[in-house]
Amino acid sequence: MFASDSNKSTSSDYRYEGTSITYAAPSIPNSNLYSSTSYSWTSTIDGVIKNEGSNESLLYEIPMIGESTEKSIDIAVVIKGTPIDTLTLPIDTTIHYTLHVYKTPNVEPNEYHSVIYVNQNTDLSFTQVGGKSDSWSYLWNNGSTSNAHKFTTNQAGEYDITVSIKNSLGNSDTLLDYSKTLTYHVKVLPACSVAHNQDTISYRYAGQTIT
C-alpha cells in the first residue's frame, strides 16, 4: 500500500548546473478516501536542507556547484494524507530523488598550424571542461573517434576537418546532453624544399631552381 512506504527512494537523474528539472509526486491511490493531502519538498546539498515548496510538483532550479566537478543533491517530498474514516490508514510517506549535477561542459579548439605543406602534418586538438567525465565521445569526419587528430595529406588544397563532440548525461532524453562541432580549416601548399646559405633561408617549389 502507498501508506506503508515510509521512506522510499526512486531512480537517479542527471543534469548540468544552472538548468532545471521538474519532479511530480506520485498519485495517491483511492484519493477519495482522504479528506486532505499535503506535500512538502526539500533539497539537501552538502548536508544543508532547504524548503522548496508545498505543491504537488516541483520545478527545481539547479544551482551552480562552484569548484566541484560533481555534486549529488537529495530531493525529497513528504506526502501526508488524512483519511475520512478509521478503516483507512493515514499517509505519511517520504520519497527521495537523487539528482547528480555536473559542471557546465564546454569545448574550445587549441591552436594549430593552419598552413602546411603536402605530407606535413598538423595536430588538431581541443580543450574540454566540465560535463560527466566518463561520458565524452568524439567523431571526426574521417571516422576517427579519438580525442585528437593528426591531419596530413599529399594533395595541395584547402580542407575543413570537423569533429563532433558530445557529453552524455545518461538520461533517456538525449536532448539534455551537450554537443558541439568544431571545424579546423587547413591550407595545404605544394611541396617545397629549403636551401640554406648562412643566415638566409630560401624556399622553392618542387621543380624550380634557385640562382
Side-chain angles (χ1 to χ4, degrees):
M1 296 290 293
F2 189 95
S4 66
D5 294 333
S6 59
N7 204 311
K8 181 180 179 182
S9 296
T10 66
S11 58
S12 297
D13 293 291
Y14 306 86
R15 293 293 190 278
Y16 300 122
E17 61 181 2
T19 60
S20 63
I21 183 172
T22 299
Y23 292 98
S27 301
I28 299 175
N30 303 314
S31 58
N32 60 307
L33 299 179
Y34 297 90
S35 60
S36 64
T37 55
S38 66
Y39 305 87
S40 179
W41 293 89
T42 60
S43 64
T44 304
I45 308 175
D46 296 332
V48 178
I49 302 174
K50 179 184 177 183
N51 292 323
E52 296 291 351
S54 56
N55 295 322
E56 191 170 347
S57 62
L58 169 67
L59 174 61
Y60 181 64
E61 301 292 341
I62 302 171
M64 308 301 283
I65 61 175
E67 296 301 316
S68 302
T69 57
E70 176 187 356
K71 276 189 182 294
S72 292
I73 301 176
D74 178 68
I75 305 294
V77 57
V78 178
I79 306 172
K80 294 186 177 182
T82 302
I84 59 176
D85 55 43
T86 57
L87 299 178
T88 303
L89 291 174
I91 294 175
D92 190 355
T93 298
T94 302
I95 298 176
H96 294 270
Y97 305 84
T98 301
L99 177 61
H100 298 278
V101 180
Y102 302 90
K103 286 195 72 63
T104 303
N106 189 43
V107 175
E108 296 296 338
N110 296 328
E111 290 185 0
Y112 67 100
H113 294 293
S114 59
V115 179
I116 60 175
Y117 292 101
V118 294
N119 298 320
Q120 287 185 332
N121 59 65
T122 181
D123 292 319
L124 308 178
S125 63
F126 45 82
T127 299
Q128 64 189 40
V129 296
K132 195 176 179 184
S133 61
D134 60 349
S135 295
W136 287 97
S137 63
Y138 321 97
L139 181 60
W140 297 83
N141 58 348
N142 70 339
S144 171
T145 56
S146 66
N147 62 353
H149 178 55
K150 190 181 295 291
F151 174 76
T152 185
T153 179
N154 60 5
Q155 296 293 322
E158 298 194 21
Y159 298 84
D160 283 329
I161 302 95
T162 62
V163 56
S164 298
I165 305 169
K166 293 183 179 180
N167 186 255
S168 176
L169 284 169
N171 299 303
S172 57
D173 185 359
T174 57
L175 293 177
L176 298 171
D177 295 341
Y178 171 87
S179 63
K180 186 175 184 177
T181 298
L182 301 179
T183 300
Y184 304 82
H185 185 78
V186 180
K187 184 176 182 179
V188 182
L189 302 176
C192 77
S193 58
V194 180
H196 294 269
N197 181 9
Q198 296 181 350
D199 296 332
T200 302
I201 299 178
S202 300
Y203 296 88
R204 65 179 184 274
Y205 293 108
Q208 292 182 331
T209 61
I210 292 181
T211 59

